[in-house]
Amino acid sequence: MMRIHFCLLAVCITSFGSSLFAGGERANVRGMGMARTYTATSRGLDAVGINPANLALSDENTVTLRILPFGIHFGSEFLDYDLYTTYFTGVQTDSGRVGRYLNENDKQRILSAFSADIASNRANVDAQIIGASLHLDGTGTIAFTVTDELGASANVPRDYVNFILNGNTPGSSYDFSGAAVAASWVREYSLSFGMELPKVSFLKQLVGGVGVKLVHGFAYYEIQRFDATLNTTQEGTLSGTVDFLAKSAGDDPFKNRLLKDYALFPDHAGTGFAFDIGMTGIVTNYLSCGISVTDVGFMKWTGNTKETYADTTLLVDDPLRGDQRDAIESAIRGRKRSVGSFSTPLPTTLRLGVALKVNKLPDVTEIPGELLIALDYNQGFGNTPSLSTNPRVSLGVEYSPLPWLPLRTGASFGGTDKVNIAFGFGLNFSAFSFDLSSENVSWLFVPRSFSYGSVAMGMQLKL
């Protein structure tokens, strides 16, 4: 029966680790420090993929070049740092680290970490390989970026972890419905343009922008359906059903040969097209608002497309018979078949934002430096590895006590992470800038029990 136990583990969890995924906006380091509040506040290359209209708003640079900005994000609804280090990293001994044996109290502590029957887990890595913008006097600003976006998500049922910890004991019953995994690795080539629009009577300035994107996909995996139940009688007979369907495309990026033979421009397994569109209005010297819709489009996967599927009834009445165990393990692992091309949505998002420059308010004279406060609303359309249909509201603050030292913070609510507190800073000089930020700084205050973490860093040359 133990072999069946690990086989089920391979179906649900190993699949999570076998592919990579999609994200995008976390390479925007300034925005990360403001809890991703940037619809009305982004400028220059930060506007790409967020609100291309803001490219038209002067950032006092003719040419801007980015030096490989990147952002990393991970989070879990049940697995925090303390739980991970206590139970999943082994025990240090004189002969090295060995596995930890769990008692009943340990198992109950792990299971009590679930606040609901299903726990969501996500990870994202975004890296901008190339970023350049050019301001054309009297015309607008054009920008070109190349960004790798990797992301994964997994919904893990509490019953599944219970099964892993306790096995199919006599009289036990488990329902694994709700398990889901999605992962992908894509590269986005984006050409964006922002320009000034004809004035509207109640606005000082109106700008608009568009972006077109070519997206290459290198790997994709998704469990589209996973329904499974296991029941064990008091006599030890196991019965159940397994019904799952998974789709994949491309190759496994964790294979040794892919890591060994990594190329900057590998063969792609999918192609997609998308566009961004946005507008920003400058109402007064201190108030602006913006709206954009980003990543409208689809990916079409054509390379090495496969399905893994199973629709099986399980029955083991004699666990000592090897033929019964082997047949069930084979059924649980499912069968693979080649399929034709299929399409997946890109993370289409509606963004609304308003920004207030507090130091420019008519009656404010006592604030040294510059203070910017912004509010954003983001609504995703469709669940992807980097997006949720849960709306996200964020409040961001940037305070510059000195022109070259912006300090940033913010809070966001909803989306994939529920609640985030962000912090970041920059060193902003005339020809060079450096930014460092995190949208999850809870580890600073609760270093043993944080369950979400992120970091983003980037540099720019300005001419």
Side-chain angles (χ1 to χ4, degrees), residues 29-280:
V29 186
R30 179 183 180 231
M32 283 273 280
M34 298 173 66
R36 288 188 286 148
T37 309
Y38 33 38
T39 306
T41 62
S42 57
R43 297 292 184 269
L45 285 170
D46 283 339
V48 175
I50 302 298
N51 185 355
N54 293 345
L55 284 167
L57 298 175
S58 173
D59 61 357
E60 301 179 352
N61 303 305
T62 301
V63 177
T64 303
L65 301 175
R66 269 201 171 149
I67 305 174
L68 197 64
F70 70 90
I72 300 171
H73 168 267
F74 60 88
S76 172
E77 289 185 343
F78 84 97
L79 186 63
D80 61 29
Y81 179 76
D82 186 42
L83 207 65
Y84 172 75
T85 55
T86 301
Y87 298 116
F88 297 95
T89 60
V91 179
Q92 185 64 45
T93 67
D94 294 338
S95 57
R97 300 193 76 84
V98 298
R100 182 187 183 105
Y101 289 92
L102 305 181
N103 57 36
E104 287 303 315
N105 288 334
D106 295 332
K107 296 176 182 179
Q108 286 304 311
R109 181 186 172 191
I110 295 172
L111 292 174
S112 65
F114 280 78
S115 59
D117 291 336
I118 304 290
S120 175
N121 307 270
R122 292 177 182 267
N124 300 84
V125 179
D126 305 328
Q128 196 168 96
I129 301 173
I130 298 172
S133 67
L134 174 64
H135 178 69
L136 305 171
D137 287 337
T139 303
T141 300
I142 189 170
F144 177 70
T145 61
V146 179
T147 307
D148 268 27
E149 306 170 355
L150 305 94
S153 64
N155 293 338
V156 180
R158 185 180 187 275
D159 266 12
Y160 184 77
V161 176
N162 191 7
F163 172 72
I164 296 299
L165 294 174
N166 296 305
N168 55 306
T169 56
S172 62
S173 180
Y174 300 104
D175 183 354
F176 302 141
S177 300
V181 174
S184 65
W185 172 19
V186 303
R187 177 172 295 166
E188 178 184 279
Y189 302 85
S190 176
L191 183 65
S192 302
F193 180 72
M195 63 180 293
E196 189 160 348
L197 299 177
K199 287 186 178 180
V200 178
S201 59
F202 59 90
L203 297 175
K204 289 193 62 176
Q205 185 181 13
L206 179 65
V207 293
V210 295
V212 291
K213 301 176 180 180
L214 168 66
V215 186
H216 282 170
F218 304 122
Y220 178 83
Y221 183 92
E222 180 184 11
I223 293 181
Q224 298 184 321
R225 183 179 71 250
F226 190 91
D227 296 313
T229 59
L230 288 180
N231 301 285
T232 304
T233 67
Q234 294 294 342
E235 292 74 29
T237 298
L238 180 146
S239 64
T241 60
V242 175
D243 177 19
F244 74 87
L245 174 67
K247 279 191 174 181
S248 63
D251 213 335
D252 186 343
F254 279 103
K255 286 183 178 178
N256 291 333
R257 65 179 181 84
L258 277 183
L259 294 176
K260 180 181 178 181
D261 302 329
Y262 175 79
L264 185 59
F265 296 98
D267 294 335
H268 58 276
T271 301
F273 297 94
F275 71 89
D276 304 333
I277 187 169
M279 293 176 56
T280 295

